Amino acid sequence: MSSLTGKNKAALLSLVAIGVAITFYAVPIAVFAQDGSSGQTWHDKHFEGHHYDKDSRSYKDNSGREYKCETKHGDFYYYFYNSEFYRCDDYNPANSTPSAPY
């Protein structure tokens, strides 16, 4: 049996990290994409404990975790938190840079 070298271990760990990152960000989007709004909860305002950060165009909780305004539903953008969608009520795409929204 051969053992993994340092380079191989680093490459394997990188692949695992990429897989975890893709799963973390893709699962909420994939759930939404399956059937639009079927079975989803949509709130008309942001979660009470979250604060809008205009530089990142996202909401943040008290620990600094970021929730991107990346899901469009009707005329508004929402972010995914705790298995539900919350409206980005402070987010105005007309005031964003040309590359926004996501």
Side-chain angles (χ1 to χ4, degrees):
M1 283 197 176
S2 64
S3 63
L4 292 174
T5 64
K7 279 187 173 181
N8 289 342
K9 286 180 184 177
L12 183 59
L13 287 175
S14 295
L15 287 174
V16 170
I18 290 169
V20 169
I22 288 171
T23 302
F24 177 74
Y25 288 107
V27 168
I29 293 169
V31 167
F32 172 72
Q34 286 179 0
D35 190 22
S37 63
S38 177
Q40 297 296 324
T41 302
W42 301 88
H43 298 275
D44 291 336
K45 61 182 185 173
H46 66 274
F47 187 78
E48 189 174 319
H50 296 165
H51 306 283
Y52 185 68
D53 179 43
K54 67 180 180 177
D55 294 329
S56 65
R57 295 181 311 274
S58 63
Y59 284 83
K60 293 186 178 182
D61 60 19
N62 289 336
S63 67
R65 181 157 180 203
E66 195 172 70
Y67 304 95
K68 296 281 187 183
C69 297
E70 59 190 358
T71 303
K72 188 168 184 180
H73 179 69
D75 294 332
F76 302 103
Y77 283 88
Y78 291 79
Y79 66 93
F80 191 74
Y81 170 70
N82 202 22
S83 301
E84 297 180 351
F85 289 92
Y86 291 85
R87 185 170 159 190
C88 298
D89 51 351
D90 296 310
Y91 174 65
N92 184 352
N95 292 339
S96 297
T97 60
S99 63
Y102 308 93

